[in-house]
Amino acid sequence: NIDYPKDKLKIYMGDDGNRASIRGLCEQYGINYIIRDNNEHAKAGNINNVLTKASGEFVLLLDADMIPKANIISAMLYYFEDKATGFVQSPQVFYNMDPFQYNLGMGSNIPNEQDFFMRTMQEKRAHFNAVLHVGTNALFRRAAIDRIGGIPTGSITEDMATGMLIQNEGYKSFFVKETLALGLTSENFQDLMKQRDRWCRGNTQVMKKYNPLMMKNLTFAQKLIYLDGFVYWMFGLQKMVYIVSPLLFLLFRVIIFTANGWDLLLIFLPHFISTSLYFKSISGKERNTVWSHIYDTAMAPKLALSFAGEFLLNRQLKFNVTPKGTLKDKDEFNFSLASVHIFLFAASVLAMAVNMNILFRWSAGNFLSGIIINMVWCVYNMAAIFISIFLSLEKKRLRKTERIPTSLSFKSLITSCANHENCGHCGTVTDFSEKGMLITLKEYCPNFDFTINKSVELSIESVGTVSGQIARYAKDGSKYEVGVSFNGDDYNLISKANKFRFNMSNSYIKNPVIQSENQSIHNILLKVINNARVRKNKSKRL
């Protein structure tokens, strides 16, 4: 469905899984199917192997789960009129919810956790020709890839190294802040943590192997930005210090640093206010200090170990693809994943109880100001720790494919309906996926027999005629809802559905912001608790 001259567009599928079903699909649609004798160097090796068979002047890289929009090439290709352009990157955008949106019940009221970097930070980096290649959704000049000897190996984050080395060769990089492809983000918290563990270790590997500070052709600004990207992955260690420090004082009177309360405020408040204002000026409503606190607290225990292990021990880590499309028939709590946060929360409760008792007895003595400051600090941490525990409560997922909300009108239920030729618009398509759709009737249709497994055809605006079977039928108030499942793996229908679904102006394509009701830690806590209570009541009824 990509809008580009077909005689100039060559599509290659590099399948390290060597699957007969994928080979057959590629043969059906005239796509070049490529395998190799071994899976050496994982994704980087796979791409390099494909490049030995391809000869195009420009290369568009797409991960397997990314669905490109029709204009993906035309939106980026004109940047290459400048002969110095090496690659153009567009953001990774996701049409399903990440664990923070899904498990915490926030939905589309907050952005995907990756949006801040993928859209906002990349746009800022582009001003200094320091765009980070993120492994997909990027158009390259083939000569630039050849110049660096192909996609670099020796790291589990080959994408970061690819962009940096191309920039070091004097090529320009650009960022297009436009949704040109949509894919699937990590669906449960454990998979998200495995992904971030890989990113943390991979970025550390790249810094140790290539060291941008020593690259002669990078500008000072480029070196500083790549150094900042490396330092970022130390946040796990930093956050654990900020979580553990007040606990050490409140429980064991271990003094982290010596200062009275007034001196501490004189140092801390200007720092906190200035950094918060600076952060707000960059992020707007796409990220705030509260959500950064939650994100960092949730990932800190694991990523503190990841960074320390890779930076100090240089432990080898196998490249693993992040699982997508997982199904769960019930809610599950991952205790092992939440165990550190549960321990930290229990320790925080104990610390608060012990020191509240000391304050009530007026026996704090010289530790009074220290106790008060550390208790405030502890409460701030406790809120994020408590929320992080709920991330390990994985909600059930019964649908294999994501349903995209729509409001399309359909003309008629055609099969076995004698009046379909004269029927006006009788309802709307409420949501649409690769496997089926939900349609809502304005009123009961006396001309159609609603029977489970009955074949049905719908003439839908902007899509055309779609065939399927009735999977369910129910009355919802004054409206009638009909679930329709598509027949088998009809790839022509999937192609038609996706061409429509991912080229429409829908909410998941827009750059989302944090809604006002989800900007304070108090409101977030209440919403998480209420969401958990609702889920518990539903489970009891079932």
Side-chain angles (χ1 to χ4, degrees):
N1 289 328
I2 292 177
D3 184 16
Y4 197 74
K6 298 306 176 185
D7 61 324
K8 295 184 178 182
L9 180 65
K10 299 292 186 293
I11 302 174
Y12 298 84
M13 170 72 76
D15 181 21
D16 267 358
N18 194 6
R19 290 160 291 184
S21 59
I22 303 299
R23 179 190 294 272
L25 189 62
C26 289
E27 290 175 351
Q28 179 182 347
Y29 286 94
I31 294 170
N32 299 281
Y33 179 77
I34 297 177
I35 58 174
R36 51 188 180 138
D37 296 333
N38 58 64
N39 293 356
E40 190 177 7
H41 301 308
K43 179 181 175 180
N46 192 2
I47 296 173
N48 286 331
N49 180 60
V50 171
L51 289 175
T52 63
K53 313 295 192 301
S55 59
E57 182 181 357
F58 303 101
V59 179
L60 172 67
L61 292 182
L62 290 169
D63 280 348
D65 63 313
M66 285 290 163
I67 301 174
K69 294 179 67 176
N71 67 329
I72 187 168
I73 294 179
S74 60
M76 295 192 283
L77 190 60
Y78 74 92
Y79 285 90
F80 291 89
E81 290 182 0
D82 186 340
K83 299 299 183 182
T85 299
F87 73 95
V88 179
Q89 179 71 58
S90 65
Q92 283 198 60
V93 180
F94 307 99
Y95 61 93
N96 64 326
M97 296 184 201
D98 69 17
F100 294 93
Q101 295 170 308
Y102 191 72
N103 289 351
L104 298 182
M106 296 294 165
S108 59
N109 291 320
I110 61 171
N112 184 288
E113 188 268 334
Q114 295 187 51
D115 277 347
F116 177 61
F117 177 81
M118 291 295 179
R119 306 193 202 221
T120 304
M121 294 306 295
Q122 284 280 62
E123 186 178 35
K124 312 297 183 186
R125 293 174 68 113
H127 290 291
F128 303 95
N129 190 25
V131 175
L132 187 75
H133 171 48
V134 296
T136 183
N137 305 2
L139 187 64
F140 288 83
R141 190 183 299 277
R142 172 62 185 265
I145 297 178
D146 293 340
R147 182 78 172 269
I148 63 172
I151 304 298
T153 58
S155 163
I156 52 176
T157 52
E158 80 299 325
D159 40 15
M160 174 190 174
T162 301
M164 185 173 66
L165 291 175
I166 287 176
Q167 290 157 356
N168 187 56
E169 290 297 327
Y171 286 100
K172 296 178 182 178
S173 58
F174 293 92
F175 177 71
V176 179
K177 193 176 181 179
E178 179 181 349
T179 299
L180 298 177
L182 295 105
L184 292 169
T185 189
S186 302
E187 293 171 320
N188 62 65
F189 190 50
Q190 185 171 27
D191 290 338
L192 183 143
M193 291 309 305
K194 289 179 180 178
Q195 180 190 65
R196 301 310 157 87
D197 174 71
R198 186 176 78 242
W199 290 357
C200 175
R201 293 179 181 277
N203 275 262
T204 305
Q205 289 172 359
V206 170
M207 289 294 298
K208 292 169 71 174
K209 182 174 182 178
Y210 297 103
N211 191 358
L213 297 180
M214 302 304 293
M215 289 184 171
K216 295 181 180 180
N217 298 327
L218 292 182
T219 66
F220 175 77
Q222 288 173 316
K223 293 178 180 181
L224 189 63
I225 289 169
Y226 277 108
L227 177 63
D228 173 73
F230 168 68
V231 171
Y232 163 78
W233 290 105
M234 299 181 187
F235 82 86
L237 291 172
Q238 180 197 44
K239 198 66 177 178
M240 290 306 296
V241 169
Y242 277 98
I243 291 173
V244 172
S245 292
L247 295 179
L248 290 176
F249 179 84
L250 294 174
L251 292 174
F252 306 108
R253 292 297 182 262
V254 175
I255 299 176
I256 307 302
F257 56 89
T258 303
N260 60 47
W262 178 245
D263 289 341
L264 184 61
L265 288 177
L266 287 177
I267 295 292
F268 174 74
L269 277 183
H271 164 74
F272 181 79
I273 293 172
S274 61
T275 53
S276 297
L277 290 175
Y278 175 66
F279 185 63
K280 184 177 179 61
S281 70
I282 291 178
S283 60
K285 292 184 178 180
E286 297 168 8
R287 180 70 66 91
N288 61 19
T289 52
V290 169
W291 276 104
S292 290
H293 176 48
I294 294 170
Y295 293 142
D296 290 353
T297 301
M299 295 186 278
K302 173 66 176 176
L303 293 187
L305 292 176
S306 299
F307 180 83
E310 188 61 44
F311 187 71
L312 300 175
L313 304 178
N314 198 28
R315 182 173 67 87
Q316 292 296 314
L317 184 69
K318 182 181 177 182
F319 181 94
N320 290 306
V321 176
T322 304
K324 308 288 175 64
T326 56
L327 298 176
K328 291 182 181 293
D329 59 0
K330 61 180 180 180
D331 293 351
E332 295 179 356
F333 184 72
N334 192 329
F335 180 81
S336 61
L337 189 62
S339 58
V340 175
H341 289 101
I342 292 174
F343 172 79
L344 291 172
F345 186 76
S348 300
V349 171
L350 176 62
M352 293 297 294
V354 169
N355 286 274
M356 285 293 290
N357 182 52
I358 291 174
L359 292 179
F360 284 140
R361 287 166 39 210
W362 298 94
S363 58
N366 294 332
F367 290 113
L368 179 61
S369 63
I371 289 175
I372 293 174
I373 290 173
N374 281 278
M375 285 181 68
V376 173
W377 190 357
C378 186
V379 169
Y380 180 67
N381 288 335
M382 283 178 67
I385 293 170
F386 184 75
I387 292 170
S388 299
I389 294 172
F390 282 87
L391 284 167
S392 297
L393 180 58
E394 302 288 355
K395 295 165 64 176
K396 60 184 177 183
R397 292 177 181 269
L398 302 179
R399 289 175 175 168
K400 192 172 183 179
T401 59
E402 292 292 323
R403 292 205 171 189
I404 304 302
T406 68
S407 58
L408 297 170
S409 61
F410 63 86
K411 187 173 183 181
S412 62
L413 300 165
I414 297 174
T415 306
S416 76
C417 179
N419 298 325
H420 72 268
E421 292 291 345
N422 301 319
C423 183
H425 291 283
C426 56
T428 58
V429 178
T430 307
D431 58 44
F432 206 130
S433 78
E434 296 174 1
K435 298 295 184 181
M437 59 187 169
L438 178 67
I439 62 177
T440 302
L441 303 176
K442 298 176 183 177
E443 58 186 18
Y444 180 76
C445 181
N447 300 312
F448 189 82
D449 177 23
F450 294 98
T451 306
I452 302 299
N453 295 326
K454 186 178 184 64
S455 296
V456 61
E457 289 184 345
L458 285 86
S459 178
I460 305 174
E461 66 168 325
S462 304
V463 178
T465 301
V466 174
S467 302
Q469 293 178 317
I470 295 179
R472 69 180 183 88
Y473 171 65
K475 184 177 180 181
D476 182 16
S478 61
K479 298 180 180 179
Y480 296 83
E481 292 186 342
V482 182
V484 177
S485 61
F486 298 148
N487 298 322
D489 291 327
D490 185 344
Y491 289 108
N492 288 321
L493 177 57
I494 290 173
S495 177
K496 183 189 296 184
N498 283 342
K499 185 176 182 180
F500 165 74
R501 290 198 304 156
F502 299 109
N503 279 280
M504 64 186 294
S505 296
N506 222 322
S507 59
Y508 57 84
I509 292 181
K510 299 174 184 176
N511 194 5
V513 298
I514 301 173
Q515 301 299 316
S516 57
E517 65 271 19
N518 294 316
Q519 291 189 12
S520 73
I521 195 77
H522 175 260
N523 288 345
I524 296 168
L525 272 170
L526 291 179
K527 191 163 187 176
V528 168
I529 294 171
N530 184 62
N531 178 60
R533 186 185 297 118
V534 170
R535 284 158 59 182
K536 183 178 180 180
N537 291 337
K538 283 185 177 179
S539 298
K540 286 183 177 180
R541 289 198 298 269
L542 292 174

